[in-house]
Amino acid sequence: MVTKQLTGSPDEADLRRADSLGREIFSDVANKWALLIIEALGERTLRFSTLRDEVEGISHKMLTQNLRMLERYGLLERTVYPTVPPRVEYTLTEPGQALRATIDGLCDWTHRYFAHIEASRRRFDA
């Protein structure tokens, strides 16, 4: 993972530019696993194993990679408790909650237009 250096230019947030930091962030955060993890966390605090159960189909490796990325971007907090074995919990930060509101809108859109999309797919694939 290559991290772009900030220069203070407004172009850094321009998603249309291939070299923008904004596009790097968008590319990392807008993947199916990250979106599903954020949606699963919601307003709750969950342990790794519970998150893995909540996000059906995600592998241990993919969950670990996405949790690290979301923590790096400050979208979730990871709390480690000094127990044996260590207990680790994840919760969304304020920016993570704000992104969740956007994801909720995307989920609502999916539910609203699901039948339309399925009908279109059937026509297209016929």
Side-chain angles (χ1 to χ4, degrees):
M1 177 185 308
V2 177
T3 300
K4 296 179 181 4
Q5 298 299 312
L6 296 175
T7 64
S9 163
D11 290 338
E12 289 172 340
D14 187 348
L15 296 178
R16 295 169 298 171
R17 292 177 50 106
D19 64 343
S20 75
L21 180 58
R23 186 175 291 189
E24 180 182 330
I25 294 166
F26 187 80
S27 175
D28 287 346
V29 172
N31 77 68
K32 74 175 178 182
W33 297 123
L35 298 178
L36 291 170
I37 290 166
I38 291 168
E39 185 63 21
L41 276 170
E43 295 181 14
R44 306 178 294 172
T45 297
L46 297 176
R47 294 178 71 175
F48 184 94
S49 57
T50 306
L51 260 173
R52 192 175 59 220
D53 292 343
E54 292 270 330
V55 182
E56 252 182 63
I58 193 168
S59 69
H60 186 282
K61 178 182 176 181
M62 287 307 299
L63 181 56
T64 299
Q65 287 176 348
N66 277 274
L67 288 170
R68 287 179 181 164
M69 178 269 298
L70 293 169
E71 183 182 13
R72 179 174 183 251
Y73 284 125
L75 300 176
L76 64 78
E77 288 180 347
R78 177 179 180 263
T79 305
V80 181
Y81 295 93
T83 59
V84 177
R87 189 177 89 210
V88 181
E89 295 179 340
Y90 299 90
T91 189
L92 293 178
T93 61
E94 184 179 332
Q97 286 291 346
L99 180 56
R100 181 175 165 253
T102 300
I103 295 167
D104 286 347
L106 184 59
C107 291
D108 292 343
W109 174 86
T110 302
H111 287 112
R112 182 176 181 180
Y113 293 104
F114 183 81
H116 171 84
I117 292 167
E118 277 300 295
S120 255
R121 288 171 42 144
R122 280 193 302 274
R123 282 191 309 273
F124 186 86
D125 293 342

